[in-house]
Amino acid sequence: MHYHPMTDQNRDDMLKKIGVSAFGDLLKGIPSKLRDVKMNIPEALSEWELQSRFKEIGARNATLRDHLAFLGGGSYEHFIPAAVAEITGRQEFYTAYTPYQAEASQGTLQAIFEFQSMIAELTGLDVANASHYDGATSLAEAALLALRQTDRHKILVARSVHPHYRQVLKTYLAATPFSVEEFGFDPGGVFNPDDFKKRLSDDVAGAIFQTPNFLGAVEELEGVSDQLHQMGALLILAINPIALGVLKTPGEWGADIAVGEGQPLGIPPQCGGPYVGLFATTRALMRRIPGRLAGITQDADGKRAYCLTLQAREQHIRRERAASNICTNQALCALTACAYMTLMGKEGMREVAELNLDRAYYLREKIAELEGFHVALDVPIFNEFMVQSERPWDQLEPHLAKAKIFPGIPLSAYYPELKNTLLVCATETKTRSELDRFVEVLSQC
Amino acid sequence: MHYHPMTDQNRDDMLKKIGVSAFGDLLKGIPSKLRDVKMNIPEALSEWELQSRFKEIGARNATLRDHLAFLGGGSYEHFIPAAVAEITGRQEFYTAYTPYQAEASQGTLQAIFEFQSMIAELTGLDVANASHYDGATSLAEAALLALRQTDRHKILVARSVHPHYRQVLKTYLAATPFSVEEFGFDPGGVFNPDDFKKRLSDDVAGAIFQTPNFLGAVEELEGVSDQLHQMGALLILAINPIALGVLKTPGEWGADIAVGEGQPLGIPPQCGGPYVGLFATTRALMRRIPGRLAGITQDADGKRAYCLTLQAREQHIRRERAASNICTNQALCALTACAYMTLMGKEGMREVAELNLDRAYYLREKIAELEGFHVALDVPIFNEFMVQSERPWDQLEPHLAKAKIFPGIPLSAYYPELKNTLLVCATETKTRSELDRFVEVLSQC
Amino acid sequence: MLISKDDRLSFEKSKPGRRGARLPKQRLLESNALDLVPPSLKRKQPLLFPELTEPEVVRHFVNLSKKNFSIDTHFYPLGSCSMKYNPKINEWVAKLEQFAWTHPMQKDETLQGTLEILYELEQCLKEVTGMDRFTLQPAAGAHGELTGMMMVHAYHASRGEQKRRKVLVPDSSHGTNPATAALVGYEVVEIKSNPRGRVDLEDLKRHCHDETACLMLTNPNTLGLFEEQILEITKLIHGCGALLYYDGANMNALLGICRPGDMGFDIVHLNLHKTFSTPHGGGGPGAGPVGVKAKLIPFLPSMHIEKKGNHYEVVRDGQKSIGRVSAFLGNVGILIRAYVYIRTLGLSGLKQVSEDAIMNANYLKEKLKRIFPVAVDEPCMHEFVLTLQKLKTKGIHSGDVGKRLLDYGFHAPTVHFPLVVDEALMIEPTETESHETLDQFADAFRKIAQEIEEDPDLILKAPHTLPIRRPDEVRAARNPILTYRDLAGKDSPETASVR
Amino acid sequence: MLISKDDRLSFEKSKPGRRGARLPKQRLLESNALDLVPPSLKRKQPLLFPELTEPEVVRHFVNLSKKNFSIDTHFYPLGSCSMKYNPKINEWVAKLEQFAWTHPMQKDETLQGTLEILYELEQCLKEVTGMDRFTLQPAAGAHGELTGMMMVHAYHASRGEQKRRKVLVPDSSHGTNPATAALVGYEVVEIKSNPRGRVDLEDLKRHCHDETACLMLTNPNTLGLFEEQILEITKLIHGCGALLYYDGANMNALLGICRPGDMGFDIVHLNLHKTFSTPHGGGGPGAGPVGVKAKLIPFLPSMHIEKKGNHYEVVRDGQKSIGRVSAFLGNVGILIRAYVYIRTLGLSGLKQVSEDAIMNANYLKEKLKRIFPVAVDEPCMHEFVLTLQKLKTKGIHSGDVGKRLLDYGFHAPTVHFPLVVDEALMIEPTETESHETLDQFADAFRKIAQEIEEDPDLILKAPHTLPIRRPDEVRAARNPILTYRDLAGKDSPETASVR
Ligand SMILES: Cc1ncc(COP(=O)(O)O)c(C=O)c1O
Ligand SMILES: Cc1ncc(COP(=O)(O)O)c(C=O)c1O
C-alpha cells in the first residue's frame, strides 16, 4: 500500500518491541464472535485506473460548462478567479486541523478573522462566526438562537424562504417543543405583510425572511424589525452575500441575525456541497453565537496574536450546555470565500453585484417580450426571477435539452399554485449572446 | 490593472518624490522619433472572458484523453500520479528564480541534487546536470562536448536517432567547422554495424546512438564503446529514461555521455514542451558538462548545505570561454521528473518499464496476426515498433479518425524508404480492451 | 527570513483604488443596472473591504499558510482526529470539472456520474459498518449525531414512547455527544468509566430503564480502548427498549476487524474526514454519513439514491422521515474523495489501515510509557492516552508539554481530553506515519522530560520558535475583537478613511 | 518549528519495500514481459532509488519548498530578471487538459486551438517589437541568442561574407552574449562603456569594419540605462555591413514606449519568462522567441505557423533556414501562458507595465541613493545599479549586503553584476510591487547601513535566519559531491544495503 510505510519487516520488529508475538494479541479484548467480518468491497485499483475510471464516470454528468444553465435556487454559477484555487490548494491550509493550537495555526486563524470581518461587513452586523455547514443549517441555528434568547416557542417564516431551508428548520425543531408557522407571499413573490402581521404574537421568538427570496424577489422590509422588536421578537434575514454588494444590509434593515449560503463567494456548485453557512449577528447576541470564533489578542510578548475565543459557548468546553453541538465546520470553504472576497475587494464586490442585476434584468425584459411567457416586471430582483409559461415546461423540455440549455428550476414541486413556473437565474457569467440564444430557443419552443 | 498596485494617487506622490514633474521626464533619453509607437494589440479581457475563451479555443484541439492514441516518437503518454502536480504547484518552487542565493534556495537546490542523483543512477553514469532544454538540444551539447574534448571535427550519428534531434544537431554545428556523418540501419530498425565501422576514423570525436531508437528498436551495442574508445572517440547514447528501469544502462554499455528526453518522467506531452533535456556523463568529463550542477558542501557552521557548483564552467563566470551558453534551463520540469521518480521509487521504475514492454509486445503480436500489416517480430523493442501496411495509411485514416484513434507516426516523411510505415507506441496507459479495440478497427479498415 | 513577521490583516494592507480582479466590461442594459434597484432597497453603508492587487492577495495568503502546521508538513498525532495523509488523487478526482461544475438542482438524468458514486459509496459504508442503509447528508460528525438523535426521537415517538427523555453518555465521551443530545431536547446522563477506562457496567445498569432513549458510545473509546463488554452493553440497552448510537469517530481502528452493526448498534455515524482520509481543511468541511439498522430506515432524512437497472435516482423518502438535514445532497465533494479512497485501498488496503494504525499506536505507546505513564496500560487500539499527573507538582500541565512539542516540529497531541484522565495527552499516530517518525517523536518526548527536570520554564513558556508565543486567551474573551472594525474602532480615522 | 531542520535526501529517508505509487496489476502477455528482453540488453546494475510512500514523498517536497524564497512569498528585486508576479490565470489555462494532453506529432487539424494561440502570440510579439516575423522555438533567452547568432552566420554566409568573424558585445553585457557568440564560433570583441554607462561610441567605431558580423546589445542596458545614441549606433553598425542583435531581456522597460525594430535592430529575442510573466520555475523553463526583420526571414528556424482562412498550419520553411533548434514547437506551455498574459493586459495594460516598472525603479533609486551611491545617477529605466565600493575598506562586498537582506525577508538583488560597476547591486523592483514594499525595502537598506557601522560582522556572517549559513563553495568545487552515490561513497555499506 503506497500510503502505508509499514513493511513486513517493520511489522515483525515492531511486534517484538511491543512485546507480543502476533498482531492478534493486540485484539484480544474484542469478542471473538465479532471478528468474523466479511465485507464486500472491491479490490484496490491503481491510480492510473482510478484516473481513467473517474473521468469515465464524470462523463456521465452534464455540467454547467457544457450546458447553458440558468439554475440558481441556492447554488449559483459565478466567476471564480484562478488565484482562489492556488490559495486553497496550499497544503498547509487544507491538510491542517481546527486551529486549537493557536501558535501553530496563525495562518488559519488570521484567515478566519478576515472572513468574519468581511461577512460582518457585508451583512452590516457586528460579529460573524467562522462558518456553519450551509445556508440551511445556519438558518436553523439562527431560529434556535432566537428561541433560546427570547424563551419563546414559535418561529415565523416566510413561505418565500428557500423550501429546503424551511424543511431543514422543521427537521431541527421536530424533536423540540418549538413550532414553525409560515406566512405567505403576493403573486409577484414578495411576502404578504398582512399575513405576516396577523401571525405576529407574543409567543413569537423571531421571524425569518429571505431577500432576495427563493422566488427571486428582493423584499421591502421597512418597519419589519420595529414590528418584531416591539413584540420582543428577533428579525432573522437569509441573504445572498453577492447581492449585498449593492442591496440593503441586514444591519440596515434592523435584523438581529443574518444567515446565508456562502457558496456564491468563489465555491463551485459541486452538486450541492461542500458549501459554507454564513452566520452574523449583533454584539448583544455574540455570546450565543454557534460555532467557532477567531479573535485578536496578545501573546506573552505583547505581540498581536490570533486565537479561537469565547470557547465557553462550545461543546468541547460546555458539553450539554453548549450553544450548539457543532465541531467540524466548513473551514476550507470559508477560506475559499475569504480569498474570493479579498480578490474582489471593495470595488469588485459592488461590480459583480451590478453585473448580476444587469444580466437578470436584461433577460427578464427579453423574456417578457416573448409570446407565451409571463414575468412580473414590477418586482425588484437581483439575479433570479419567475417565468410562467402558458404551456407546461415538460413540453418545452426536449427543445431546450437539444439546445443544451438548463432553463431553470420548476417551482410547482414547492408551490403547487405556481404552475408552469420556472425560477430562472442569470449571473455575471452570462454574455449577451448566451442570453439571446436562450431567448431565441424559448421563442422557437 | 489588477496586477499593478500603483494608483493614480501613488503616481503623483511618486513623481514628486522622484523629483520630476511628469512621467515623460524620465524618458528624455529616448530619441523622440522612436516614441511614436502604434501597436495593434487587442484590449484587455476580464478573467471570466479569458476562462471562457480559452476553454473554447482548447476545444479546437483533439487530445490524448478524448482519443485513443498510439503516438510516441519522443513524447509519450504516461501515468502521472496526482501528487506530482501538488508538488510542482508549490508557489515557492514555481515562482522562484535560479538558486544563485543558496541560503534562500535550499529547497530547489536539494531537489536538483536529488534529480541529478536519480538521472545518474538511471543512466549508470557518474554525474548528471540540472537539466538542458530538451532531448534534442542535450544531444547537440553532447556532440559539442565530444568535439571539444577530443579536438576533432566529425560526429557520427545513427540514422535511427530521432530525426528531429539529428536536425537540431546539424543546426548547432552548421556555423562551426564541425561536420556530421550518418550511418544506416537494417530493415528491422537496428543500426548497421558495418556501415558504422566503415565510417569510424581518427577524425571522429564521437558517435551517437539512440536506444530504444526512433524506429522502436532496442540496440545491441556490445563492443561499440570499445571500438570508439580505441579510436579515441566518445560514445554518446540517447536514451528513454523509463526504459532504463529494465534496459542496460549507458554506463553498462560503456558510454561517455548519455542524453535523453525527460518528458516521460511525469511531464504531460503538452504539444511538445516544456520538456527536460537529460545530460549525464562520467567523472572524467565532469568539468566540461554544460549547464548547472548542484553539489553538497558545508555551511559556515559545518552543517550540510546544497549549492550550485563548478560554476567556472558557466557563462556568468566565464563568458566567452564557458562550456555552454545555457542560463535558464528547464528547472521546474526537472523538479517534476524528480517528484515523479521519487514517487515511483525503485520498484515503480522497474514495474512501469515492465508494463510498457507488456503492452507493446502484446500489441505487436496482435497486429502481426492481422492481414495486410507487417511487423518485424524478431526485433527487441520497448514501447514502440514499426507497422507496415500494405495499403497507404492515408486510406485507413478516415476509419481510424472515426473511431477516434491516432494510430501512430508516419515514418516516410523522415525515411522515404519506409513507405506506408507507422511508428506505433503503447505505454502502460493502455488496457487490454483499448489495444484490442485498435486491432479490431485496423482489421476492419 | 522565511516566515513573514507581518501579522497585518488584509484590511491593513489595503490602499484605496487597488483591485484584485477584473470583471467583464460589457453591460447589456442601456441604463445602469443599479438605477433599477429602488433606493430604499440599496445598501447605504460603504463596504469596508480590503483593496489589494492579485499579487498582494496571493502573497498575503501564501505567507499566511506558512504559519500553519499541517499533515503535509508535520507529524500531527492529534488524538481522536485521525490526522492521516490526505491522498492527492482524491483531490484530483473531486476537482474534475465533471464533478465540481454540476448544479444540485439538475435532473437526475444529468447527474448519473455523481449519483453512481454516492450510491456506491453507500454500499461500501454499509459493508464497513454492517448497517442496512446510510444517509450521506450530514456535513460532519456532530451533524451526523444530530441526525441520529433526531431519528432516535422520531423512533420512540412513533412507538408512543415520548417518556424516553434520557440519553446516556460515558464520562469519557466527546463533547459533541452530550451537546447533541441536549440540542434535541434530551436530558443527558453521564455514565462512569471503570478503572480500566471502559463503561462501568453497574453504573450503566442503574440508568437502564423505560425513560432511557439511547446510549451514545464511542468504540474504541476516547482512551483508545475497545469496550470489551460491548455485547453485554448492547444487550442491556436493547433490553430496556432504548437504542444504541455508535459514534464512529474512532472507526480507523476497526476497518475489517469488527463492525458496529455486528456489535448491535442501531445507528452509526462515520467521520469521512477521519477514517476515510478526506482533508480536514483547517477545521472542515467533513462528512458525517449516518447508517441505521432496518427498523430505523423509515426515519432517515429524506433523499436516498437508488439504483434502478443502470439508472440512479434520488428518491424522496416517506412520511416518517425526519426530513432534510441540509440544503442539498450533503458535502458531495467530500463524499467523492472518500469513495476514491475506498477504491484506492480496496478490501485488503482498508484492513491494513486499521492493522497498521493499531501497530503504530502500540509501538509508540511502548516507547512513551517509559517516559510518562499511560492512563490505562493495556494494549490499545489506534490511539492511547498518557497522563502527566506527576508533573502537576512542578506546575506543568499536559498542555505545556504539547506546546513544547511544537518547538520540536511536532503538532501537539489532543490535550486535557478525555476528561476522565487527569492531565491527559491523547496520541493517535495513524497508519500513514513511519516508525522512524514515531521514533523521532519519542526522542522529543525524552528530551522534553529532561528539560522538565533541568529548565521547567522552557516548557512553561513554550513555544519559542513560532510566529507567536502563547496568546492571552482570557484577554481575547474578555474584550472580544472579532472583526477588523472591532480592531480599528468603529469610527476611528482608519476605518473612516477606508470608507 | 515551521521550517524543517531535516536536510536529508529522499535517498536517506528510504526504507526497503516502501512504495509511492501503485501501478496496474493487469498483464496482457502470458509470459513475463521481462523475459522477452534478451539478457544482454538488460540492466544489471540495481537501481539505487529512494523507496518512500506517497505521504513521505509529499511531505519531503512540501518541506523542501518551504526553504525557498519566491515571488509569491517575498519581494524579489533581482536585477535583469523581471521577477514580477506570475498570474494564476496563466497557469490555469496552460494546465487545461485541452492544451496539456496534446501530442506534438498530432496532425495540424487536431491542434487548431494550440496553433491559433501560437499564431496570435506571434502577431502580438511582432507588434510589441516592430519585427517582421518570429520563431517561437527557442526555450530560453540564451537559446534565442544562439538561434539569432546562427542566423547572423547564415545571413553573412549567404552573401559570401565568411570573413565576418567578430561579434561585438559591450563590457556591460550579460554573460550569455559572449558565450553564445563563442559557441557559434565567433570571436568576441568587448566594447567599452563610457562614463555614463552607455556604449562608448568611439570604441564602437574602432571595431566597426568588414570583419564585424554583429553587435549584440541590451537596451536598456544592464545598468538600467537607455542607450541614448541608439540611432547612431544602429546606423554605424549597418554602415559597416554588420547586423544588430537585440537582447530583449530588459524589454520590461519598453512595452509601448519604443521598439527595437524601430531602433534598427535586425534580430531580437524576448524572454517571455521575464517581460511576459511566465514563472521562472526555480530556473526554467522559459521561452526565448526570436524576431527578425524581413531580410532575415529566410534564415529563421524551420516550422512557422500560418493562417490560411480560418485554418492554422505548421509550415516547414525552406532551403535557407538554419533548421530546427528544438525537438518540437518549443516550450508551448510557456508560450500559452505568455499569450494569456497579453490578452489579460491588453494594449493599455502592457503600456502600464513599463510605465509602472520605470516609476518603481526611479522611486526606489531616489530612496536608496541616499544610502549608497548609484553607479550612474540619472533617471533610470526599469532597474538601476548601486555601487558599494566605499564598503570595500571595511571588507564588505555587495554580496554581503545581499546576504543580509535575506535576513530582512527580501531576496538579494543581482550582485557583482554588471562587471563594469565595482561592487554592484542591480535592483529591479518590477511593476507588480507596491510602493509600501519598496519603502520597507529601503528601510532594510537603511538599517543595514547602520549595522555596517555598528557591527560589520553581522553583515559578513549573514544570513542568520535561514536553514543554512553561507555554503563553502570552494569546498564544493574542490571535492564535488554531485550525486547521492558521491555522498554515500560508491561502495559504502549504505549504498550497498539500499541496493
Ligand atoms: C469522538 C468524537 N466524536 C465526535 C466528533 C465530532 O465530529 P465532527 O468534528 O466531525 O463534528 C469528534 C471530533 O473530533 C470526535 O473525536
Ligand atoms: C541581459 C540578459 N541577457 C540574456 C539572459 C539569458 O536569458 P535566459 O536565462 O533566458 O537564457 C539574461 C538572463 O538572465 C539576461 O539578463
Side-chain angles (χ1 to χ4, degrees), chain D residues 243-262:
Chain D
L243 292 172
L244 273 143
Y245 183 93
Y246 182 87
D247 177 335
N250 289 348
M251 194 67 202
N252 212 47
L254 296 187
L255 299 175
I257 291 179
C258 59
R259 312 194 299 180
D262 300 339

Side-chain angles (χ1 to χ4, degrees), chain A residues 346-374:
Chain A
K346 180 180 168 146
E347 261 314 293
M349 288 303 288
R350 206 195 45 69
E351 234 175 83
V352 74
E354 187 206 319
L355 279 164
N356 276 262
L357 288 164
D358 182 71
R359 273 34 171 184
Y361 273 95
Y362 176 84
L363 181 62
R364 188 170 73 168
E365 270 174 29
K366 289 279 162 184
I367 293 178
E369 291 164 12
L370 291 181
E371 269 183 43
F373 297 95
H374 303 286

Side-chain angles (χ1 to χ4, degrees), chain A residues 1-3 43-47 50 54, chain C residues 87 89-90 337-346 349, chain D residues 22:
Chain A
M1 183 51 225
H2 60 299
Y3 302 155
E43 261 313 329
L45 291 176
S46 69
E47 188 176 329
L50 292 165
F54 282 101
Chain C
I89 182 65
N90 299 0
R337 285 170 173 86
Y339 181 61
V340 176
Y341 181 66
I342 291 172
R343 297 307 310 268
T344 303
L345 291 173
Chain D
R22 173 145 50 191

Side-chain angles (χ1 to χ4, degrees), chain B residues 63-110:
Chain B
T63 72
L64 303 175
R65 291 275 160 92
D66 54 34
H67 279 63
L68 184 60
F70 299 92
L71 300 171
S75 174
Y76 300 88
E77 199 186 345
H78 285 292
F79 153 59
I80 305 177
V84 171
E86 293 241 0
I87 291 166
T88 56
R90 291 285 300 178
Q91 287 80 1
E92 296 94 325
F93 280 136
Y94 87 80
T95 77
Y97 193 71
T98 307
Y100 289 128
Q101 292 287 343
E103 301 88 339
S105 319
Q106 286 295 291
T108 293
L109 284 162
Q110 183 174 334

